[in-house]
Amino acid sequence: MIKIRVASANPAKINAVASAFAEVFNHEALDVQGIAVPSGVADQPMSSEETLLGAMNRVAALVNEDADYRVAIEAGLDGDFTFAWMVIEHQGKIGKARSASLMLPPVALAELKQGKELGDVMDALFDQTNVKQKGGAIALLTQNKLSRSSVYHQALILAMIPFLNPAIF
């Protein structure tokens, strides 16, 4: 059984991790559990660097967890775009990848610059509740063609590259 600990209690993030790991380890039993840990950065990271730091901090916070893989997903902003960093730790080695980026409407960007979180802004803009634990801004802006989990799925597999190719990493 492969033990995977996700540095979040957010169902969208946990489901994305479970889905990506199930695809990579399709003949293995998986034990995927989420654990809420602090990011050590702002609730709404405003740059790629701050977002990556939040993901790295979350993985580090899982250091004492009995796990084969420790995974963090931190969403943030990069200019006019939102995206997320994926960080995976396995036996002291780190794998990283960024998700696809998506444009945010000017009205949302203005709210974010005033210190609001993207999930709250999207809830208000689309008259929704707790979208960040569902399909996220991605689902709302793509009219449910994509979801937060579906976009994170691909990026999580990309972050697994060092573990899939250990001889060259």
Side-chain angles (χ1 to χ4, degrees):
M1 168 121 13
I2 299 173
K3 293 182 185 177
I4 303 149
R5 298 299 173 258
V6 182
S8 178
N10 184 320
K13 292 180 179 182
I14 296 166
N15 292 339
V17 171
S19 172
F21 273 76
E23 185 170 337
V24 171
F25 298 108
N26 58 353
H27 298 299
E28 300 283 340
L30 304 176
D31 173 18
V32 181
Q33 293 180 21
I35 301 166
V37 298
S39 69
V41 299
D43 288 341
Q44 180 58 71
M46 297 298 284
S47 69
S48 179
E49 295 79 10
E50 183 182 15
T51 306
L52 177 58
L53 178 60
M56 296 294 290
N57 289 344
R58 287 184 191 274
V59 163
L62 295 178
V63 70
N64 293 323
E65 293 296 324
D66 178 28
D68 299 300
Y69 292 87
R70 293 165 187 85
V71 183
I73 301 171
E74 186 76 14
L77 298 181
D78 192 1
D80 295 347
F81 295 86
T82 186
F83 75 101
W85 271 106
M86 315 291 134
V87 175
I88 302 173
E89 184 273 330
H90 173 64
Q91 298 178 345
K93 186 182 289 190
I94 297 288
K96 301 182 281 191
R98 276 181 57 144
S99 73
S101 299
L102 58 140
M103 290 178 62
L104 291 173
V107 64
L109 289 167
E111 295 279 327
L112 294 170
K113 288 177 184 171
Q114 294 177 18
K116 294 185 180 174
E117 275 192 72
L118 181 58
D120 297 332
V121 171
M122 291 287 108
D123 281 346
L125 193 60
F126 286 89
D127 194 27
Q128 298 289 312
T129 303
N130 203 16
V131 71
K132 67 182 177 181
Q133 292 197 353
K134 299 174 186 167
I138 296 165
L140 295 174
L141 293 169
T142 64
Q143 298 178 352
N144 294 305
K145 306 292 186 283
L146 298 172
S147 70
R148 192 175 196 190
S149 289
S150 72
V151 170
Y152 290 177
H153 176 98
Q154 183 182 57
L156 284 160
I157 292 173
L158 293 172
M160 295 285 292
I161 287 173
F163 316 117
L164 298 173
N165 300 280
I168 57 175
F169 281 88

